[in-house]
């Protein structure tokens, strides 16, 4: 898939996300293991994100994941699977609650995840 087809800010149609689903509290599973739980979520069309509390995994840091990295949502087990590795998530531009909604940060984050897109 080419970068121009990757929309970092929207859930892909085959993920199992439907409008009205609240993903707060769901576990996040990277390709190579769990990374934490959804602490906050936004569902705005073209601007959807998940803020993940990583707990002790990366020293209690929170990370922001754009909705486009979500591969699958299992509502029965309350797990959101993403198509990135733990290292790719750890190396993403650092999330700061005060700047998470700023255009510059979102541009960096969207570009980073677009560059790490994998099928």
């Amino acid at each position: 898939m080419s970068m121009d087809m990757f929309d970092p800010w929207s859930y892909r149609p085959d993920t199992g996300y439907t409008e009205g689903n609240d993903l707060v509290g769901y576990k996040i599973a990277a390709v190579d293991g769990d990374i934490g739980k959804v602490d906050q979520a936004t569902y705005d069309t073209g601007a959807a994100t998940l803020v993940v509390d990583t707990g002790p995994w990366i020293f209690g840091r929170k990370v922001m994941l754009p909705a486009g990295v979500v591969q699958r949502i299992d509502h029965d087990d309350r797990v959101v699977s993403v198509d990135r590795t733990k290292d790719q998530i750890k190396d993403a531009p650092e999330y700061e609650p005060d700047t998470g909604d700023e255009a510059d940060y979102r541009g960096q984050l969207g570009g980073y995840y677009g560059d790490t897109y994998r099928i």
Side-chain angles (χ1 to χ4, degrees):
M1 176 179 269
S2 67
M3 168 120 174
D4 61 324
M5 295 176 65
F6 175 70
D7 177 4
W9 308 113
S10 297
Y11 290 97
R12 292 181 247 165
D14 60 351
T15 62
Y17 175 77
T18 55
E19 193 171 328
N21 290 145
D22 185 6
L23 303 177
V24 173
Y26 280 44
K27 286 195 280 185
I28 297 285
V31 172
D32 54 352
D34 292 346
I35 64 162
K37 288 191 174 185
V38 178
D39 187 53
Q40 300 170 26
T42 62
Y43 306 104
D44 300 332
T45 302
T49 62
L50 300 173
V51 175
V52 180
D53 184 343
T54 64
W57 173 58
I58 47 177
F59 310 111
R61 194 176 108 194
K62 291 185 180 183
V63 296
M64 180 180 277
L65 298 175
V69 303
V70 173
Q71 187 170 34
R72 187 173 61 83
I73 300 169
D74 182 333
H75 295 288
D76 292 333
D77 291 335
R78 296 179 49 88
V79 174
V80 176
S81 298
V82 297
D83 63 359
R84 298 301 193 283
T85 66
K86 291 165 96 173
D87 281 343
Q88 286 173 318
I89 294 166
K90 186 168 73 173
D91 293 342
E94 190 162 346
Y95 170 71
E96 295 290 339
D98 296 339
T99 59
D101 288 329
E102 292 182 7
D104 286 348
Y105 173 74
R106 291 174 71 85
Q108 290 174 4
L109 191 67
Y112 172 81
Y113 280 110
D115 289 345
T116 62
Y117 191 81
R118 62 183 214 68
I119 296 174

